[in-house]
Amino acid sequence: MELAELIEVARGDEPADLLLKDAKVVNVFTGEIEETHIAIVHSRIAGLGNYQAREVVDLGGRYVCPGFIDAHAHIESAMVPPNEFARAVVPHGTTTVVTDPHEIANVLGLEGIRYMLEMAKYNPLSIYVMAPSCVPSTQMETTGAELRWYDLQTLQHEPYVLGLGEMMNFPGVINGVPDVLDKLRAFQGRVKDGHAPGVDGKRLMAYTAANIGSDHECTTVEEARHKLGLGMFIFLREATNARNLRDLLPVVDAHTSRRLGFCTDDRMPADLLDEGHIDHMVRVAIAEGVDPVTAIRMATLNPSEYFHLHDRGAIAPARRADLLVFSDLRAPQVEMVYRGGKLVAKDGETIPWERPQRPSVLSSSMNVDWSQVNFRIPADGDRVRLIGLVPDQIVTEHLVEDLSVQQGEVMADPSRNILKMAVIERHLATGNVGLGFVKGLGLQKGAIASTVAHDHHNIVVAGADDESMFNAVQAITATRGGMAAAYDETVLAQLPLPIAGLMSDQPIESVRRQLDEILAAARQLGSPLHDPFMALSFLALPVVPSLKLTDRGLVDVDKFELVSLFES
């Protein structure tokens, strides 16, 4: 669109393409609600007030606010490609997502990132990418690729790449590891996201001195306030397995609210389809006492400014006409969604859209040396380190307990909620198998397995017996990746994820149905957790305290080193 045309319409000399009449506009600049009309030409807002237009839509006094922005998400966690993800979140009012594709990057490197960029095109959702900073996240795991600073630099000129994704290797930043600093230097002057769970004191000073601008790992108000005080932008998170929103809402006040945003991080299909997306977080915030306009501003203007996306995030001349229509300010349920001035969703459904079919071929992501897969753990001491699962969090406890030994082998003990766990390398057929134990997953029998294991995404499996574990693993490798629940030789349910072992090629409703089936199977095996597969996936992430398991062994994240399974 020509600037002159926009100005002519704004002056009132030419008719707008669309007039949204009789709207209560949420002004995120002033905090006021304005009764007016919105004139749109092409994809932009031309002005507010009385205008002539070729098409008029009477909103009947309903509210209109800017489209919601998810400030940090891993689309792969929805287990569908970007086009299906868009179909799930756009009806909930999300018009922009900032994604870090480090899940698929850890499997397929730049090939995976470019796949996500390609699949993000021609959808009713603006998808921006942060270049994955930690592939791998540490040197204590095996991934399918390693991205150095010069690899990431090839993404700098991609129009939809905004900056550097979450710097999970916070020890590398704090200790000045050269390769980590090279990545930060390569994105000098660009947005750099953070990931610093529990980091404080001078270690946090060192981390923020690297010009890392945000954090989404806060779990307490005190942690969030401390980081805000050092200039960080804080994203309040409500993921499937890390539900921090309600705990953090007390940090929202008149002084802090402009430095806060919302993110979903890792949200699975059932939660997206049932609870919602950023709209769910806005409703929760309002219900917990946050002023409605403040909550909406945190979902719109704040992240747009942090990411320098100054063409959206507010209802004002020249801004994109990314708009939501709803009736209740205190409990917004999105009724209509406009993106770039076009109606893209109504009454909970996306409007069908044309998307060119482009064939994409990805490299194999299932390469296992089966000759090395053995779950037997010979006893080498009396006291065993256990990963202690914390419900609804991705942090874990570092536990030490006595376990039963039979014929020289350490055994799982489901009666004490202790299961055997393994991580099997699946990218390079190295034969690596990390073995350990987890407490709190809840299975009383059988096993569950997945190729979703943050962030290396090797095969992760936990179970009460070796046979069930082996059969669950065999089931997911037969489908080129996925999730499965097994009991002895019987596979109770499974969800194939043939795209890099992370995403399905089926509609999200089908994925949700299959996920419901494997979650029901996990409950049949005894797990009481909301999503034991998501919980299992984060037990392999060696950058979140305190104890995790990778294909190379047990990781003490607090010490940032591999440790023996047995306490000496």
Side-chain angles (χ1 to χ4, degrees):
M1 178 181 58
E2 287 290 334
L3 178 60
E5 182 182 3
L6 177 62
I7 292 173
E8 284 177 342
V9 175
R11 282 199 312 257
D13 293 345
E14 292 292 333
D17 293 328
L18 173 66
L19 185 71
L20 299 180
K21 182 181 177 183
D22 193 13
K24 293 177 181 174
V25 172
V26 179
N27 190 319
V28 292
F29 294 122
T30 66
E32 298 172 319
I33 306 297
E34 303 174 354
E35 295 187 4
T36 186
H37 319 294
I38 306 169
I40 298 167
V41 57
H42 298 300
S43 64
R44 302 285 166 163
I45 297 167
L48 304 177
N50 293 317
Y51 284 90
Q52 298 297 312
R54 298 178 181 89
E55 179 185 358
V56 177
V57 174
D58 192 337
L59 298 182
R62 285 181 286 180
Y63 293 93
V64 181
C65 77
F68 293 147
I69 300 172
D70 189 340
H72 174 77
H74 304 290
I75 289 176
E76 303 98 312
S77 291
M79 297 187 289
V80 288
N83 56 310
E84 278 296 309
F85 180 80
R87 209 163 60 78
V89 304
V90 168
H92 290 285
T94 302
T95 55
T96 301
V97 169
V98 181
T99 185
D100 179 349
H102 71 208
E103 318 295 358
I104 197 169
N106 271 283
V107 179
L108 296 170
L110 287 173
E111 177 188 2
I113 297 171
R114 297 197 184 282
Y115 168 82
M116 295 297 281
L117 284 166
E118 179 63 27
M119 294 300 290
K121 297 176 182 176
Y122 309 109
N123 294 311
L125 176 67
S126 296
I127 299 176
Y128 288 91
V129 164
M130 298 293 281
S133 67
C134 296
V135 180
S137 63
T138 75
Q139 296 304 311
M140 294 176 286
E141 62 205 292
T142 304
T143 57
E146 181 174 1
L147 297 181
R148 308 295 293 271
W149 69 269
Y150 42 80
D151 299 310
L152 297 176
Q153 207 165 40
T154 66
L155 300 171
Q156 288 267 24
H157 300 296
E158 291 280 352
Y160 288 95
V161 173
L162 299 178
L164 189 65
E166 58 177 311
M167 181 49 76
M168 295 181 294
N169 190 353
F170 57 87
V173 176
I174 294 165
N175 295 315
V177 174
D179 179 60
V180 174
L181 299 188
D182 284 341
K183 292 176 181 176
L184 294 169
R185 292 188 190 102
F187 282 80
Q188 188 68 31
R190 306 288 292 273
V191 178
K192 293 182 279 292
D193 278 345
H195 167 115
V199 177
D200 58 11
K202 289 185 177 178
R203 296 170 73 242
L204 184 59
M205 300 291 178
Y207 191 74
T208 55
N211 283 319
I212 293 171
S214 70
D215 187 78
H216 60 275
E217 295 290 342
C218 295
T219 58
T220 67
V221 169
E222 294 73 24
E223 181 181 2
R225 284 195 177 278
H226 185 38
K227 290 173 177 175
L228 283 166
L230 295 178
M232 299 188 88
F233 200 102
I234 302 300
F235 303 140
L236 310 186
R237 173 175 60 189
E238 189 74 354
T240 288
N241 199 53
R243 295 178 177 264
N244 308 119
L245 178 60
R246 285 180 173 85
D247 291 338
L248 293 176
L249 282 174
V251 81
V252 183
D253 61 33
H255 302 291
T256 62
S257 66
R258 289 290 274 119
R259 302 288 296 175
L260 301 171
F262 293 121
C263 79
T264 60
D265 204 2
D266 299 280
R267 201 153 172 83
M268 297 186 79
D271 290 333
L272 287 175
L273 296 175
D274 293 350
E275 285 186 342
H277 197 229
I278 299 300
D279 63 319
H280 168 69
M281 301 183 72
V282 170
R283 286 191 295 272
V284 168
I286 295 171
E288 294 289 323
V290 176
D291 172 72
V293 177
T294 299
I296 289 169
R297 184 186 293 122
M298 289 166 58
T300 57
L301 182 63
N302 291 3
S304 76
E305 291 182 343
Y306 171 77
F307 287 108
H308 303 162
L309 295 172
H310 298 298
D311 64 339
R312 66 199 68 207
I315 299 177
R319 300 265 175 163
R320 280 181 60 88
D322 292 353
L323 306 169
L324 315 182
V325 179
F326 56 94
S327 297
D328 187 351
L329 183 64
R330 302 208 65 84
Q333 295 285 349
V334 178
E335 299 166 23
M336 300 165 68
V337 181
Y338 287 85
R339 174 177 175 261
K342 304 296 183 184
L343 184 67
V344 293
K346 186 176 182 180
D347 298 329
E349 298 289 336
T350 52
I351 306 297
W353 76 94
E354 292 284 335
R355 187 174 188 280
Q357 295 298 316
R358 298 189 177 190
S360 58
V361 178
L362 292 173
S363 302
S364 169
S365 63
M366 295 297 294
N367 305 291
V368 178
D369 181 356
W370 288 104
S371 68
Q372 301 301 310
V373 177
N374 187 334
F375 300 136
R376 184 174 181 273
I377 302 178
D380 190 25
D382 300 320
R383 305 274 287 166
V384 179
R385 290 186 170 91
L386 308 177
I387 300 173
L389 190 145
V390 179
D392 294 332
Q393 301 295 337
I394 61 175
V395 295
T396 60
E397 296 179 300
H398 184 158
L399 307 176
V400 180
E401 296 191 22
D402 293 319
L403 293 185
S404 172
V405 177
Q406 298 178 15
Q407 298 179 334
E409 179 182 351
V410 187
M411 308 299 292
D413 190 347
S415 67
R416 293 164 56 196
N417 204 358
I418 297 173
L419 303 174
K420 188 179 289 187
M421 180 179 166
V423 176
I424 304 165
E425 195 277 315
R426 71 165 170 110
H427 306 298
L428 309 176
T430 63
N432 291 349
V433 179
L435 297 170
F437 293 91
V438 57
K439 185 171 186 176
L441 203 54
L443 300 184
Q444 297 301 302
K445 58 185 178 181
I448 60 174
S450 176
T451 50
V452 178
H454 301 283
D455 283 328
H456 45 77
H457 297 297
N458 288 303
I459 298 169
V460 60
V461 58
D465 66 273
D466 292 4
E467 181 182 11
S468 297
M469 292 171 67
F470 188 81
N471 285 316
V473 170
Q474 286 279 61
I476 60 177
T477 55
T479 57
R480 293 185 293 136
M483 299 176 174
Y487 179 46
D488 291 337
E489 73 281 356
T490 302
V491 176
L492 302 176
Q494 65 183 115
L495 166 59
L497 299 174
I499 303 174
L502 300 174
M503 293 174 284
S504 173
D505 54 3
Q506 300 298 308
I508 194 168
E509 293 85 359
S510 176
V511 176
R512 187 265 172 83
R513 177 182 54 77
Q514 294 172 87
L515 182 59
D516 285 347
E517 291 171 358
I518 63 170
L519 291 175
R523 284 189 284 273
Q524 179 184 338
L525 296 174
S527 178
L529 299 182
H530 173 67
D531 191 330
F533 286 90
M534 180 67 91
L536 180 68
S537 72
F538 281 104
L539 298 179
L541 178 59
V543 291
V544 175
S546 287
L547 197 64
K548 297 295 169 74
L549 183 68
T550 75
D551 65 301
R552 298 190 180 184
L554 204 60
V555 178
D556 183 328
V557 182
D558 299 315
K559 295 181 178 178
F560 214 60
E561 64 184 21
L562 293 166
V563 295
S564 170
L565 180 59
F566 298 90
E567 185 182 61
S568 56

